[in-house]
Amino acid sequence: MRAALQVLRRAPRLRHQSTAAAQKTVDDAFLASLEALATTSQSPDVRKLHGDDESHHEPIPPEVVAFPESTEEVAAILKLCNEQSIAVVPYGAGTSLEGHIQASRGGVCVDVSKLDQMVAEHPEDLDCRVQAGMTRKAVNSALRHTGLHFPVDPGADATIGGMAACGASGTTSVRYGTMRDNVLGLTAVLADGTVLETGSRARKSSAGYDLTKLFLGSEGTLGVITEVALRLHPVPMCVEAATARFDSLEEAADAVQALLLHGVSVARCELLDATAIDAFNAFSKRNEESCPSLFLEFNGPTSEAVAAHTELALELCADCGGRDIKRSQDESERDELWKARHELYYASCALKTNGRAIVTDACVPVSQLPGLIQATSRDVKENNVVGPCFGHAGDGNFHCILVYNDDDDEDYLERLKQVNANLIERTLAAGGTCTGEHGVGSGKKAYLLREKGAAAIDAMRSIKAALDPRGVMNP
């Protein structure tokens, strides 16, 4: 099985051109210096945990894990590592899906989970500032008394720092945007220990380069994010969910386009194919019809406003072939629906005994989504592999979960690889991106040059070399 899996991992690597790539290993003298700065662990179990995420990529543990409790401690750790050319890999909650936390050159994992406090609340200005190790659920729990919330929802209870570093989004992006739209500024520690403050609490600025956006999606390659200023939104007074069934993926995708073109204010817009519904039912003990389906949510300040959008949306779904259309304002029913939707990754893996998965993350212009989903679904069937398709149809982002286990032979894995390659090729040809929300990590590096072009890659390398000349940050 291990040899066969290499078929999935073979891909040309982008050459790292930092002036002195970090390759040194830690020694006793370094460990003594590190232990004087922060709590550390070399426990095999702790190290293993910090080299493994939710992806199919092989875990690669760091040599030591540090647990700083302040920005100052992070700065001291990075300064020490930079001086000795020791690699540094930031770690939040380990929920990433592209091998972001593999310690490919050993070194130190900087776990920010102890930086978990609310720094400041400004409800009158609809913003707050949190430490990077605070999870999104903890943020919303702390904000409950304000009537505000932070709506970016990737499903997993990820840390805010990790979400910022990966440019995360999720089911609510169609209404509220991604992390790139909801971060006002941040504190980041550069490779040499310099503490950088970016952005401001102002809602707009034309002063200088946008360094905040530079760090959003940087995946720990430029520094360690320790604080994030977040844009907040009022908790909606009224919420309604709806579901609609379709006879084909094309009809369902056409309905999504119709909603957007008619200006329907939809808060969530999720498309699931029949295989995803089967996984959804089996894992969550539900009994939804096995067919392409839309899960929708609408919210607003009054029940009348929400009802108007819901009714228009359902009319448009019906016009596109939607049937068995249901709506509900019951909170518990709605929560169960979205809980089950967020568990679809695990539900998909459960379609095979001890299943693991390659998670695709294609994102295309919404007009291109119907064709891409249909072609991918056809590919899955023709190659006889397990691959439920679902995603955030309202912003053109969808996932095909390609499931395998230890019983699968090399031929099956080759077919998985081909489905994945075909999907990414179609995505890029349609003007899309190989990763809409999961990030590049080690899993998508092979496609970055093809998507961005040589000039863009050279510009990124120049930025990396300027901020991290020794190449110590998540090399």
Side-chain angles (χ1 to χ4, degrees):
M1 175 65 180
R2 186 176 299 277
L5 274 177
Q6 298 309 311
V7 173
L8 300 174
R9 300 187 181 112
R10 260 180 242 139
R13 293 179 177 270
L14 294 177
R15 294 180 181 176
H16 182 73
Q17 295 185 341
S18 291
T19 54
Q23 296 188 37
K24 293 186 179 180
T25 57
V26 303
D27 55 24
D28 289 343
F30 174 83
L31 286 173
S33 298
L34 183 64
E35 289 167 357
L37 302 176
T39 302
T40 65
S41 176
Q42 284 188 287
S43 159
D45 288 341
V46 172
R47 291 172 52 238
K48 180 180 179 181
L49 173 68
H50 286 78
D52 195 10
D53 59 12
E54 296 283 353
S55 74
H56 70 282
H57 299 286
E58 196 71 25
I60 305 178
E63 294 169 272
V64 59
V65 181
F67 299 89
E69 298 184 25
S70 67
T71 296
E72 291 73 23
E73 287 189 5
V74 173
I77 292 169
L78 266 59
K79 184 173 186 293
L80 173 66
C81 292
N82 189 61
E83 289 172 348
Q84 300 195 30
S85 295
I86 301 293
V88 177
V89 179
Y91 180 96
T95 56
S96 55
L97 290 165
E98 289 294 350
H100 296 84
I101 58 175
Q102 289 177 318
S104 59
R105 295 179 185 168
V108 179
C109 172
V110 176
D111 183 326
V112 300
S113 60
K114 291 189 176 182
L115 281 73
D116 61 355
Q117 299 299 305
M118 177 72 68
V119 178
E121 296 176 9
H122 306 285
E124 68 280 4
D125 292 318
L126 297 140
D127 71 73
C128 71
R129 191 175 188 89
V130 305
Q131 289 184 310
M134 199 172 189
T135 66
R136 66 173 185 87
K137 289 183 179 178
V139 169
N140 282 325
S141 179
L143 291 170
R144 189 172 293 133
H145 69 285
T146 67
L148 304 175
H149 71 143
F150 179 66
V152 180
D153 181 2
D157 191 21
T159 61
I160 296 298
M163 290 170 64
C166 289
S169 56
T171 58
T172 59
S173 300
V174 65
R175 173 67 182 271
Y176 297 104
T178 72
M179 287 299 287
R180 296 179 190 273
D181 304 302
N182 288 281
V183 172
L184 298 171
L186 51 81
T187 302
V189 181
L190 303 183
D192 64 358
T194 299
V195 177
L196 175 69
E197 301 286 349
T198 77
S200 73
R201 290 184 54 228
R203 286 304 171 115
K204 64 180 182 179
S205 172
S206 58
Y209 296 149
D210 192 339
L211 297 179
T212 301
K213 290 290 199 297
L214 178 63
F215 277 83
L216 297 177
S218 63
E219 302 180 21
T221 61
L222 301 180
V224 178
I225 296 170
T226 60
E227 291 185 9
V228 185
L230 301 173
R231 184 189 302 267
L232 305 179
H233 301 261
V235 174
M237 299 294 291
C238 300
V239 182
E240 185 166 6
T243 57
R245 316 297 172 194
F246 297 84
D247 291 328
S248 70
L249 283 169
E250 182 177 17
E251 289 179 345
D254 286 345
V256 172
Q257 272 190 285
L259 297 183
L260 298 177
L261 291 173
H262 282 78
V264 176
S265 181
V266 58
R268 300 183 202 246
C269 182
E270 299 293 294
L271 188 156
L272 291 74
D273 74 359
T275 306
I277 291 290
D278 291 340
F280 179 88
N281 285 337
F283 193 79
S284 301
K285 304 297 187 290
R286 296 178 69 93
N287 190 33
E288 308 288 343
E289 182 184 350
S290 179
C291 63
S293 303
L294 286 182
F295 292 177
L296 305 168
E297 186 172 279
F298 311 89
N299 63 40
T302 67
S303 57
E304 292 80 10
V306 173
H309 283 280
T310 304
E311 288 163 9
L312 175 57
L314 299 187
E315 286 178 17
L316 292 169
C317 285
D319 288 345
C320 293
R323 54 181 172 74
D324 191 23
I325 296 171
K326 300 176 183 177
R327 54 194 291 189
S328 174
Q329 294 182 346
D330 183 85
E331 184 177 1
S332 61
E333 189 175 320
R334 203 170 60 240
D335 289 346
E336 280 298 313
L337 178 72
W338 295 115
K339 178 177 181 293
R341 162 59 187 88
H342 283 316
E343 290 174 343
L344 257 179
Y345 168 72
Y346 304 104
S348 298
C349 289
L351 290 172
K352 277 179 167 281
T353 303
N354 298 319
R356 299 200 74 182
I358 304 170
V359 183
T360 69
D361 186 32
C363 190
V364 294
V366 175
S367 64
Q368 301 297 308
L369 186 63
L372 183 64
I373 293 179
Q374 288 180 77
T376 302
S377 183
R378 185 170 58 248
D379 242 7
V380 166
K381 290 177 182 176
E382 291 176 354
N383 283 278
N384 194 27
V385 297
V386 177
C389 293
F390 58 90
H392 322 307
D395 52 21
N397 186 199
F398 93 104
H399 312 295
C400 181
I401 310 300
L402 298 167
V403 187
Y404 66 91
N405 65 15
D406 288 343
D407 295 329
D408 291 317
D409 58 19
E410 186 166 343
D411 178 65
Y412 180 86
L413 298 176
E414 278 283 6
R415 282 181 274 131
L416 282 188
K417 175 189 174 185
Q418 190 60 53
V419 172
N420 185 43
N422 291 346
L423 168 58
I424 293 175
E425 182 60 36
R426 292 188 190 103
T427 298
L428 298 181
T433 173
C434 65
T435 177
E437 59 185 9
H438 295 164
V440 176
S442 60
K444 296 290 193 295
K445 280 204 303 184
Y447 307 105
L448 199 58
L449 179 60
R450 165 84 169 79
E451 177 177 328
K452 298 298 184 184
I457 296 299
D458 285 345
M460 293 181 200
R461 286 172 172 154
S462 296
I463 293 168
K464 168 72 170 174
L467 297 182
D468 179 22
R470 295 182 181 231
V472 299
M473 296 305 307
N474 207 5

Coordinates of all heavy atoms in Angstrom, one line a residue, residues 1 39 55 81 112 168 191 201 217 235 253 270 296 345 347 361 410 420 469 475:
M1 N 0.8 -1.2 0.0 CA 0.0 0.0 0.0 C 0.9 1.3 0.0 O 0.6 2.2 -0.7 CB -0.9 0.0 1.2 CG -1.7 1.2 1.4 SD -2.9 1.4 0.1 CE -3.7 3.0 0.6
T39 N 7.6 26.4 27.1 CA 7.4 25.0 27.3 C 7.6 24.2 26.0 O 7.2 24.7 24.9 CB 5.9 24.8 27.8 OG1 5.7 25.6 29.0 CG2 5.6 23.3 28.1
S55 N -5.3 15.3 6.3 CA -5.1 14.9 4.9 C -4.6 13.5 4.7 O -4.3 12.8 5.7 CB -4.1 15.9 4.2 OG -2.8 15.6 4.6
C81 N 15.6 30.2 16.3 CA 15.7 29.3 15.2 C 16.3 29.9 14.0 O 17.1 29.2 13.2 CB 14.2 28.9 14.9 SG 13.4 27.8 16.1
V112 N 0.5 27.3 18.7 CA -0.1 28.6 19.2 C -1.3 28.4 20.0 O -2.0 29.3 20.4 CB -0.3 29.6 18.1 CG1 1.0 29.9 17.4 CG2 -1.4 29.1 17.2
A168 N -9.0 30.6 4.7 CA -10.1 29.7 4.8 C -11.4 30.4 4.5 O -11.5 31.6 4.5 CB -10.2 29.1 6.2
A191 N 10.5 35.8 10.5 CA 11.5 34.7 10.7 C 12.6 35.2 11.7 O 13.1 34.3 12.5 CB 12.1 34.3 9.4
R201 N -8.0 49.4 12.4 CA -9.5 49.1 12.7 C -10.3 50.0 11.7 O -11.6 49.8 11.7 CB -9.8 49.5 14.1 CG -9.2 48.5 15.1 CD -9.6 48.8 16.6 NE -11.1 48.8 16.6 CZ -11.7 49.8 17.2 NH1 -11.1 50.8 17.8 NH2 -13.1 49.8 17.3
G217 N -3.4 33.5 3.7 CA -3.0 32.5 2.7 C -1.6 32.2 2.6 O -1.2 31.4 1.7
V235 N -25.7 38.9 14.6 CA -26.4 37.6 14.6 C -27.8 37.8 13.9 O -28.5 38.7 14.4 CB -26.5 37.0 16.0 CG1 -27.3 35.7 15.9 CG2 -25.1 36.8 16.6
A253 N -27.3 22.9 -10.5 CA -26.3 23.9 -10.7 C -27.0 25.1 -11.4 O -26.6 26.3 -11.1 CB -25.1 23.4 -11.5
E270 N -25.4 25.0 -0.6 CA -24.6 23.8 -0.7 C -25.3 22.8 -1.7 O -26.5 22.5 -1.7 CB -24.5 23.1 0.6 CG -23.8 24.0 1.7 CD -22.4 24.2 1.3 OE1 -21.6 23.3 1.4 OE2 -22.0 25.4 1.1
L296 N -30.1 25.0 1.4 CA -30.1 26.5 1.4 C -30.4 27.0 2.7 O -31.1 26.4 3.5 CB -31.1 27.0 0.4 CG -31.0 26.5 -1.1 CD1 -32.2 26.9 -1.9 CD2 -29.7 27.0 -1.7
Y345 N -17.1 15.1 5.0 CA -15.8 14.6 4.8 C -15.6 13.2 5.4 O -15.2 12.2 4.8 CB -14.7 15.5 5.3 CG -13.3 14.9 5.3 CD1 -12.6 14.7 4.1 CD2 -12.7 14.6 6.5 CE1 -11.4 14.1 4.1 CE2 -11.4 14.0 6.5 CZ -10.8 13.8 5.3 OH -9.5 13.2 5.3
A347 N -18.1 11.3 6.5 CA -19.1 10.4 6.0 C -18.6 9.8 4.7 O -18.8 8.6 4.4 CB -20.4 11.2 5.7
D361 N -10.4 20.6 -4.3 CA -10.9 21.9 -3.7 C -11.0 22.9 -4.9 O -10.6 24.0 -4.8 CB -9.9 22.4 -2.7 CG -10.3 23.7 -2.0 OD1 -11.5 23.8 -1.8 OD2 -9.4 24.5 -1.6
E410 N -2.7 -0.8 -6.8 CA -2.1 0.4 -7.5 C -2.9 0.9 -8.6 O -3.0 2.1 -8.9 CB -0.7 0.0 -7.9 CG 0.1 1.2 -8.5 CD 1.6 0.9 -8.7 OE1 2.1 -0.1 -8.1 OE2 2.2 1.7 -9.5
N420 N -8.3 13.1 -10.2 CA -7.8 14.3 -9.6 C -7.2 15.2 -10.7 O -7.4 16.4 -10.7 CB -6.9 14.0 -8.5 CG -6.4 15.2 -7.7 OD1 -7.2 16.1 -7.4 ND2 -5.2 15.3 -7.4
P469 N 15.1 35.2 4.5 CA 16.2 34.9 3.7 C 16.9 33.6 4.0 O 17.5 33.0 3.1 CB 17.2 36.1 4.0 CG 16.7 36.7 5.3 CD 15.2 36.5 5.3
P475 N 9.5 25.4 5.5 CA 10.2 25.2 4.2 C 9.6 24.1 3.4 O 9.1 23.1 3.9 CB 11.6 24.9 4.7 CG 11.5 24.4 6.0 CD 10.3 25.1 6.7

